[in-house]
């Protein structure tokens, strides 16, 4: 069994990460009733016996002593991380896994990427290295960050480059939260465009999530279910003692669910075993085009038990509908380069023969089954074009002291990415899909 | 003589486990005189337990662990305690990762496990490798291991058993992996025996009436057909003694030319246990169906096109190639029929020996062989298995190459292979050699 390390950077990265660890613990508690430290748990957690002198990691198969997340938490201010280590999850992290500064990056990508990157890069890598040493076979990094701020966007992408240099064989899957159009961070288009270049160059896969989509989805759920969300649903943030929900919590739970589902078939047994490195192998036909739009179903029944469960086949079509995408795009109107469906729960091989791709037998907490789709679809281009538009408008009234070279390189990188998607759209509309490429001729 | 089986990747390790189950079950029912089926595939370990002559290889541990414990739980046989090699992380559906990275890195360790198994045999009849072609480990490491076996045992027979993916499969790059595997194996293997998941799935659905089909069901059918071939039988030259060299006999009856080594299998009857009681099978009936399945290229007993007829004895080249398309006639190069069960010596198989079924350049006497055994096989009183070197696999092979070629035209996914050392030229070489195979089989028409 392989292991993964989560690197969460900035406010958003840490808040999303925090929801992920909470749900992951709940999921394993639900499945693993005996309290045995098994390989599934081992993929994201170490089992530390604090009574033994070296506080070393215990072997698979023993009792659970104290679970420690395979994670590195980075923020350039203290607030969010402090809250986490004082909150209900305090036991899963210890101080050696944390790295904070006090003043934040002030929503400035360059401060995060350059200033803090140079100051802390080596220390962060050192912490990751220590986490890696605890892994028996490190397969994947999950980087979680936002695009719009300074730390997650700037320092996060700096860390991404460092991981590539230091651990070239380990897959890098990045969850990137894109700002909504009316984001309160004025500089978010700058930060996002600058970060995009790094993601395009250094990530194996990016799972883009747009805050506006999460808001839309939650609005729909509330409309359907009334104000109360089922408390034990995986959308609710169930801290012990009914702690009050924070503004981003339910949005972040959706993202956390996405991460849980992606990793589920690597963690649990399934009839079609999936390795995380198969994601990029199957979904990334061209190295730069590795933006995989996620969709989750059933979102609605996730929130409320009174809505009848979605029929299986309905779930499959939902996975492709506009309403279930975590980016504001409509994949059905664009070109699919590749797509994976990852089902969980009591789905059969024969259901899946209708085109499902991955299967894992353990359903998410509280549900019979669920489906995650990852679409490599030219529809993301739309979001990128819109982002470039906002960037250009902002750039016209640019302030002094900006590093012009950096900006133009980033803008160029984004434009050439958009052009690459355009090129594929053009070839698909000009040539009929049934047309075969002329084959090699053999002499008789 | 004994056969060593090498199971590679998820598919190989799951299908292999199922095969030993069937052979063990069948072999214990009756003792075959002479070389018993048990000795062919099993030995007794120090504590006397029946132990498969098998090596399990995968780049991740889950499947191997599962297969080993399943075998142990059967209470009838087991895998050798140390006859496996696994790593922690699979090849990620990437043939290049398996062939260029994992294969060479673990060469010595894998060769050691195989050698230990070979040295346990009094005499080695040959090696059967089992794997899928669509993933990364079975296909890539499997190809590499076959290459090593060829070097280490230059005089032994190597039969590659391959599982071909569903045509709408779960691995997007499956056609690339398949093309790379087939093109490389073609130069190494003595014979390539193919099961297509689509065809086997259809048997499960339509003949066995299974509602929710699992890989276990699919593998059960594959194992049944394979055991039907590999269990002991009397060959025409064996004069009443069970043949001792099944792989050699198989190869010499079916692969007479190195350009043609793709073998397909079909079996009859295959029915759900629940309807066994109502079915009566006679040799003439079974063989009549089997013949029509062969010439009309039906993969199972249902939906046979009875309109298809063998054309009048060859008029030659291009003309008849065209008529093959028109009539749906499947031309054979060679066939091997294996009959098992009651009154087997009275069964007449002349219909499968007609010259019209074969090419003009191989006399049908030589093109057609029959093996027989009076021992009933599996649950069937009478059963027939046909191994065929014919045009049956032409269409699926052509589809595979076409889809891979279309992807290659836009160079999609190529970077995933070049990063492990497989270049565009390597792809082109593979395409060229498979186009050659396609062209050869097409010309059989
Ligand atoms: N979905 C989600 N978005 C968030 C969250 N926190 C912040 N954001 C978004 O992230 C962007 C701001 O980035 P932050 O993550 O707050 O910034 P940071 O990485 O901490 O960087 P600095 O504060 O500049 O040092 C805005 O687009 C916010 O809407 C969160 O918990 N969930
Ligand atoms: N018939 C059958 N096909 C299988 C089975 N398991 C996997 N497959 C097929 O095998 C192909 C996938 O290859 P795997 O054998 O899973 O891959 P692998 O060799 O383990 O390689 P990696 O996992 O990529 O390292 C697909 O075409 C599946 O349909 C099985 O038990 N039976
Ligand atoms: Mg901040
Ligand atoms: Mg595998």
């Amino acid at each position: 069994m392989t292991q993964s390390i989560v690197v969460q950077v900035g406010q958003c990265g840490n808040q999303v990460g925090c929801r992920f660890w909470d749900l992951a613990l709940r999921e394993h508690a639900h499945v693993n009733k005996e309290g045995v430290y098994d390989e599934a748990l081992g993929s994201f957690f170490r089992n530390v016996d604090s009574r033994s002198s070296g506080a070393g990691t215990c072997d698979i198969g023993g009792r659970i002593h104290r679970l420690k997340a395979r994670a590195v938490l980075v923020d350039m201010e203290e607030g969010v991380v402090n809250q986490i280590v004082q909150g209900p999850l305090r036991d899963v992290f210890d101080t050696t896994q944390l790295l904070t500064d006090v003043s934040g990056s002030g929503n400035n990508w360059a401060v995060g990427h350059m200033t803090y990157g140079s100051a802390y890069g080596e220390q962060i890598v050192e912490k990751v290295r220590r986490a890696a040493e605890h892994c028996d076979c490190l397969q994947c990094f999950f980087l979680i960050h936002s695009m719009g701020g300074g730390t997650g966007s700037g320092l996060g992408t700096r860390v991404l480059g460092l991981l590539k240099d230091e651990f070239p064989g380990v897959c890098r899957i990045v969850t990137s939260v894109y700002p909504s159009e009316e984001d309160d961070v004025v500089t978010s288009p700058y930060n996002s465009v600058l970060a995009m270049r790094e993601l395009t160059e250094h990530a194996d896969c990016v799972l883009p999530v747009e805050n506006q989509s999460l808001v839309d989805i939650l609005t729909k759920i509330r409309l359907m279910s009334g104000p109360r969300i089922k408390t034990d649903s995986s959308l609710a943030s169930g801290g012990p003692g009914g702690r009050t929900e924070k503004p981003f919590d339910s949005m972040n739970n959706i993202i956390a669910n996405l991460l849980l589902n992606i990793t589920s078939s690597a963690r649990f047994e399934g009839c079609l075993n999936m390795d995380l490195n198969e994601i990029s192998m199957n979904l990334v036909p061209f190295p730069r085009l590795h933006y995989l739009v996620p969709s989750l179903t059933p979102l609605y029944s996730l929130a409320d038990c009174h809505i009848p469960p979605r029929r299986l086949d309905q779930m499959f079509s939902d996975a492709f509908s506009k309403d279930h995408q975590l980016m504001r795009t409509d994949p059905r109107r664009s070109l699919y380069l590749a797509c994976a469906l990852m089902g969980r729960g009591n789905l059969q091989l024969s259901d899946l023969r209708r085109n499902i791709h991955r299967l894992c037998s353990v359903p998410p907490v509280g549900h019979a089954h669920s489906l995650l789709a990852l679409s490599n679809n030219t529809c993301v281009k739309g979001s990128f074009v819109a982002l470039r538009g906002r960037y250009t408008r902002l750039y016209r009234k640019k302030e002094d002291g900006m590093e012009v070279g950096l900006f133009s390189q980033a803008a160029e990188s984004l434009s050439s990415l958009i052009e690459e998607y355009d090129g594929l759209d053009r070839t698909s509309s000009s040539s009929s899909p049934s047309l075969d490429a002329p084959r090699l001729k053999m002499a008789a | 003589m004994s056969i060593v089986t090498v199971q590679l990747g998820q598919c190989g390790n799951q299908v292999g486990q199922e095969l030993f189950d069937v052979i063990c079950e069948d072999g214990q029912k009756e003792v075959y005189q002479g070389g018993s089926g048990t000795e062919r595939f099993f030995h007794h370990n120090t504590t006397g337990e029946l132990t498969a002559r098998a090596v399990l290889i995968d780049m991740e541990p889950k499947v191997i662990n599962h297969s080993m414990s399943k075998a142990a739980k059967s209470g009838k046989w087991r895998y050798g305690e140390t006859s496996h090699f696994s790593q922690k992380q699979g090849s990620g559906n990437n043939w290049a990762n398996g062939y260029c990275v994992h294969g060479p890195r673990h060469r010595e360790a894998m060769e050691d496990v195989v050698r230990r198994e070979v040295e346990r045999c009094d005499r080695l009849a040959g090696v059967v490798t089992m794997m899928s072609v669509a993933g990364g480990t079975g296909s890539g490491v499997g190809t590499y291991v076959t290459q090593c076996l060829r070097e280490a045992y230059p005089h032994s027979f190597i039969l590659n058993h391959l599982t071909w993916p569903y045509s709408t499969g779960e691995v997007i790059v499956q056609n690339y992996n398949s093309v790379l595997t087939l093109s490389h194996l073609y130069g190494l293997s003595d014979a390539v025996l193919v099961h297509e998941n689509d065809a086997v799935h259809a048997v499960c659905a339509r003949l066995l009436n299974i509602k929710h089909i699992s890989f276990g069901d699919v593998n059960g059918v594959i194992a049944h057909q394979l055991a039907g071939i590999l269990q002991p039988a009397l060959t025409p030259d064996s004069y009443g003694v069970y043949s001792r060299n099944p792989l050699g006999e198989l190869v010499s009856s079916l692969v007479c030319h190195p350009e043609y080594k793709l073998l397909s299998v079909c079996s009859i009857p295959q029915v759900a246990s629940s309807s066994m009681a109502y079915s009566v099978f006679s040799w003439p009936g079974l063989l009549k169906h089997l013949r029509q399945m062969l010439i009309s290229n039906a993969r199972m007993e249902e939906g046979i096109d009875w309109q298809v007829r063998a054309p009048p004895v060859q008029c030659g080249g291009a003309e008849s190639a065209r008529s093959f398309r028109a009539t749906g006639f499947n031309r054979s190069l060679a066939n091997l029929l294996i009959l098992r069960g009651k009154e087997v010596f009275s069964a007449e198989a002349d219909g499968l020996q007609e010259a019209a079924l074969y090419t003009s350049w191989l006399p049908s006497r030589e093109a057609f062989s029959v093996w027989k055994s009076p021992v009933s096989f599996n649950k069937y009183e009478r059963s027939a298995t046909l191994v065929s070197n014919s045009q049956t696999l032409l269409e699926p092979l052509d589809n595979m190459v076409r889809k891979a070629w279309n992807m290659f035209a836009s160079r999609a996914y190529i970077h995933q292979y070049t990063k492990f050392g497989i270049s565009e030229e390597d792809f082109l070489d593979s395409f060229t050699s498979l186009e050659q195979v396609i062209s050869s089989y097409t010309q059989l028409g």
Side-chain angles (χ1 to χ4, degrees):
Chain A
M1 188 75 104
T2 59
Q3 297 83 35
S4 298
I5 295 174
V6 174
V7 181
Q8 39 195 70
V9 187
Q11 171 181 324
C12 176
N14 278 293
Q15 288 178 169
V16 171
C18 181
R19 302 314 315 140
F20 169 75
W21 293 111
D22 181 33
L23 292 187
L25 280 174
R26 280 205 268 159
E27 184 174 286
H28 282 291
H30 187 78
V31 176
N32 184 337
K33 297 239 157 55
E34 263 120 68
V36 173
Y37 180 66
D38 56 9
E39 302 220 313
L41 260 171
S43 58
F44 278 102
F45 295 95
R46 289 195 297 139
N47 186 19
V48 179
D49 188 351
S50 44
R51 297 163 312 174
S52 80
S53 51
T57 300
C58 314
D59 288 338
I60 297 292
R63 260 196 52 235
I64 294 177
H65 293 282
R66 175 162 293 168
L67 293 178
K68 291 284 176 202
R70 300 187 192 275
V72 175
L73 286 61
V74 177
D75 201 355
M76 292 298 104
E77 57 193 333
E78 293 173 309
V80 176
V81 171
N82 278 346
Q83 256 178 8
I84 293 174
V85 295
Q86 286 157 16
L89 286 171
R90 72 183 89 78
D91 288 339
V92 274
F93 308 107
D94 59 50
T95 48
T96 62
Q97 293 171 267
L98 319 175
L99 191 139
T100 51
D101 198 323
V102 286
S103 52
S105 308
N107 293 324
N108 185 331
W109 185 88
V111 171
H113 198 82
M114 318 290 185
T115 317
Y116 286 127
S118 307
Y120 290 116
E122 201 31 57
Q123 283 183 53
I124 295 170
V125 168
E126 197 44 50
K127 286 182 189 295
V128 174
R129 209 175 279 137
R130 198 157 329 133
E133 281 163 10
H134 289 303
C135 296
D136 171 42
C137 178
L138 173 59
Q139 176 161 47
C140 199
F141 290 117
F142 285 92
L143 176 68
I144 312 174
H145 72 142
S146 62
M147 299 292 279
T151 301
S153 179
L155 182 56
T157 53
R158 179 70 173 264
V159 171
L160 179 65
L162 292 171
L163 292 179
K164 184 183 180 183
D165 295 341
E166 297 289 324
F167 304 90
V170 181
C171 177
R172 295 169 304 279
I173 299 182
V174 185
T175 306
S176 302
V177 176
Y178 280 70
S180 23
E181 219 166 311
E182 304 82 23
D183 198 82
D184 25 322
V185 177
V186 182
T187 51
S188 71
Y190 282 160
N191 297 332
S192 304
V193 169
L194 288 160
M196 282 258 335
R197 176 178 175 219
E198 305 292 318
L199 295 182
T200 302
E201 299 299 326
H202 302 312
D204 287 312
C205 300
V206 176
L207 310 172
V209 173
E210 215 171 315
N211 267 340
Q212 192 57 52
S213 300
L214 302 180
V215 171
D216 293 349
I217 285 169
L218 286 170
T219 310
K220 274 182 216 126
I221 293 178
R222 297 221 161 86
L223 267 176
M224 294 180 82
S225 62
R228 273 197 54 237
I229 287 186
K230 204 169 108 193
T231 46
D232 68 338
S233 81
S234 36
L235 207 69
S237 39
R243 86 183 214 288
T244 49
E245 206 176 295
K246 294 211 298 302
F248 280 115
D249 273 1
S250 34
M251 286 163 73
N252 293 350
N253 278 330
I254 298 178
I255 310 177
N257 265 300
L258 158 70
L259 289 170
L260 281 181
N261 280 10
I262 285 185
T263 57
S264 70
S265 81
R267 285 178 295 142
F268 302 108
E269 299 271 321
C271 85
L272 274 178
N273 261 310
M274 192 198 62
D275 245 19
L276 286 168
N277 53 358
E278 290 172 17
I279 294 181
S280 103
M281 181 63 195
N282 283 290
L283 296 183
V284 182
F286 306 102
R288 290 156 51 88
L289 308 190
H290 53 231
Y291 293 85
L292 312 176
V293 179
S295 73
L296 277 171
T297 64
L299 273 180
Y300 305 144
S301 57
L302 209 101
D304 185 79
C305 51
H306 302 308
I307 300 169
R310 292 301 233 183
R311 288 213 344 276
L312 266 178
D313 291 6
Q314 182 61 43
M315 240 167 67
F316 283 88
S317 54
D318 280 353
F320 298 101
S321 88
K322 195 168 108 228
D323 294 343
H324 291 76
Q325 309 300 319
L326 304 192
M327 285 288 267
R328 294 229 285 175
T329 54
D330 188 357
R332 280 179 310 195
R333 305 176 69 111
S334 297
L335 174 70
Y336 271 100
L337 303 179
C339 177
L341 294 169
M342 308 183 192
R344 300 186 65 180
N346 55 353
L347 304 174
Q348 301 283 338
L349 182 68
S350 36
D351 298 322
L352 160 140
R353 287 301 328 138
R354 293 191 293 264
N355 223 357
I356 277 216
H357 296 225
R358 304 294 172 198
L359 207 63
C360 159
S361 56
V362 180
V365 179
H367 304 286
H369 43 238
S370 73
L371 193 62
L372 159 71
L374 294 178
S375 306
N376 193 342
N377 187 296
T378 56
C379 68
V380 280
K381 185 184 69 180
S383 307
F384 295 162
V385 169
L387 176 64
R388 186 176 57 181
R390 278 182 276 151
Y391 166 87
T392 315
R393 279 195 296 283
L394 195 62
Y395 196 68
R396 284 210 199 94
K397 22 179 191 169
K398 71 169 180 239
E399 302 142 45
D400 290 336
M402 290 193 333
E403 284 204 49
V404 181
L406 207 65
F407 274 83
S408 60
Q409 279 167 11
E412 246 166 60
S413 162
L414 180 56
S415 290
S416 81
L417 183 70
I418 291 170
E419 176 51 38
E420 225 173 299
Y421 282 111
D422 262 339
L424 287 166
D425 273 338
R426 271 197 307 274
T427 52
S428 83
S429 57
S430 65
S431 71
S432 101
S434 60
L435 210 65
D436 290 327
R439 295 264 288 267
L440 295 170
K441 290 279 180 304
M442 289 296 118
Chain B
M1 287 210 280
S2 306
I3 294 174
V4 169
T5 301
V6 182
Q7 324 180 149
L8 297 120
Q10 167 162 355
C11 180
N13 280 297
Q14 289 175 173
V15 174
Q17 186 269 329
E18 205 77 39
L19 173 66
F20 284 106
D21 237 21
V22 173
I23 288 178
C24 177
E25 189 83 12
D26 188 57
Q28 303 209 321
K29 206 169 45 189
E30 303 213 23
V31 179
Y32 295 89
Q33 46 195 128
S36 84
T38 318
E39 187 227 301
R40 186 175 280 180
F41 287 97
F42 297 93
H43 65 91
H44 291 275
N45 68 8
T46 46
T47 55
E49 290 165 301
L50 208 54
T51 309
R53 298 186 188 277
V55 170
L56 302 86
I57 294 177
D58 202 353
M59 293 301 119
E60 56 110 5
K62 272 197 248 176
V63 180
I64 287 188
N65 290 341
H66 195 70
S67 290
M68 288 184 63
S69 69
K70 233 176 134 182
K73 270 193 213 123
S74 76
K76 296 183 176 133
W77 67 280
R78 58 183 306 117
Y79 284 109
E81 218 58 75
T82 56
S83 307
H84 57 93
F85 175 82
S86 69
Q87 290 290 298
K88 286 163 185 156
Q89 183 173 347
S91 309
N93 299 159
N94 189 330
W95 187 89
N97 193 8
Y99 182 80
C100 305
V101 182
H102 288 147
R105 186 181 293 160
H106 307 301
R107 175 174 187 158
E108 216 173 307
M110 294 189 295
E111 281 183 340
D112 276 350
V113 216
V114 176
R115 188 179 317 115
R116 278 207 303 275
E117 215 51 56
V118 167
E119 283 169 356
R120 242 195 286 275
C121 306
D122 286 338
R123 286 186 63 201
L124 179 69
V127 182
V128 175
T129 70
M130 309 188 75
M131 63 235 205
S132 63
V133 293
T137 299
S139 73
V141 178
T143 303
Y144 185 83
V145 165
T146 305
Q147 202 171 296
C148 298
L149 291 172
R150 186 75 299 165
E151 268 177 47
Y153 309 100
H155 305 298
S156 296
F157 289 101
I158 301 179
L159 173 71
N160 289 101
H161 176 262
L162 304 182
T163 300
W164 283 11
Y166 288 100
S167 61
T168 56
E170 60 277 352
V171 179
I172 292 178
V173 288
Q174 65 181 25
N175 296 306
Y176 277 166
N177 293 334
S178 305
V179 162
L180 290 163
T181 308
L182 284 169
S183 60
H184 283 75
L185 286 182
Y186 224 77
L188 298 164
S189 179
D190 290 303
V192 176
L193 183 60
V194 174
H195 272 106
E196 301 156 81
N197 270 344
D198 283 317
V200 182
H201 197 93
V203 169
C204 291
R206 314 246 298 268
L207 298 183
L208 305 181
N209 293 322
I210 302 171
K211 284 276 158 342
H212 297 289
I213 300 165
S214 68
F215 271 137
D217 301 317
V218 172
N219 297 346
V221 171
I222 297 177
H224 171 75
Q225 300 192 343
L226 276 178
I229 304 170
L230 294 170
Q231 282 293 66
L234 304 166
T235 65
D237 316 320
S238 66
Y239 303 104
V241 180
Y242 280 99
S243 156
R244 302 178 57 79
N245 184 10
L247 294 185
E249 306 250 5
L250 180 92
V251 170
S252 70
S253 21
L254 288 166
V255 185
C256 51
H257 188 293
E259 187 59 26
Y260 300 90
K261 51 173 77 159
L262 283 180
L263 310 181
S264 61
V265 200
C266 57
S267 286
I268 185 171
Q270 297 181 110
V271 295
S273 307
S274 55
S275 38
M276 279 290 274
Y278 315 104
S279 319
V280 183
F281 304 109
S282 69
W283 285 121
L286 288 175
L287 291 171
K288 182 171 171 226
H289 277 78
L290 197 57
R291 177 182 186 277
Q292 193 63 22
M293 281 162 68
L294 172 69
I295 65 172
S296 68
N297 205 2
R299 316 311 305 283
M300 59 178 169
E301 218 186 328
E302 200 189 287
I304 298 176
D305 181 354
W306 289 94
Q307 303 304 316
V308 177
R309 305 214 174 285
V313 175
Q314 291 236 281
C315 38
E319 201 61 43
S320 60
R322 222 165 292 131
S323 64
F324 144 71
R325 299 247 177 263
T327 63
F329 171 67
N330 174 45
R331 168 113 34 217
S332 301
L333 183 63
N335 288 310
L336 166 61
L337 175 68
I338 302 147
L339 305 176
R340 300 179 184 276
K342 259 178 136 171
E343 293 145 10
V344 73
F345 298 108
S346 67
E348 293 285 350
D350 297 351
L352 281 154
Q353 193 167 356
E354 280 170 36
L357 272 51
Y358 298 93
T359 59
S360 57
W361 42 275
L362 197 65
S364 60
R365 252 178 309 105
E366 284 171 40
F368 179 64
S369 333
V370 189
W371 298 353
K372 292 181 176 178
S373 162
V375 182
S376 296
F377 174 59
N378 235 344
K379 58 185 182 185
Y380 302 106
E381 206 170 53
R382 296 180 183 81
S383 66
T385 306
L386 185 72
V387 193
S388 181
N389 188 348
S390 69
Q391 294 178 311
T392 297
L393 293 167
L394 185 54
E395 191 184 314
L397 176 64
D398 191 66
N399 284 333
M400 207 179 245
V401 173
R402 176 176 51 79
K403 288 181 188 168
W405 182 251
N406 283 344
M407 228 182 204
F408 187 71
S410 60
R411 296 299 183 268
Y413 294 99
I414 295 299
H415 72 284
Q416 310 270 20
Y417 292 82
T418 50
K419 84 177 170 210
F420 292 117
I422 290 296
S423 64
E424 280 187 27
E425 282 84 83
D426 294 326
F427 270 94
L428 277 172
D429 289 346
S430 286
F431 279 115
T432 311
S433 72
L434 289 189
E435 291 288 3
Q436 187 59 57
V437 174
I438 290 173
S439 150
S440 300
Y441 271 99
T442 307
Q443 280 161 30
L444 281 186

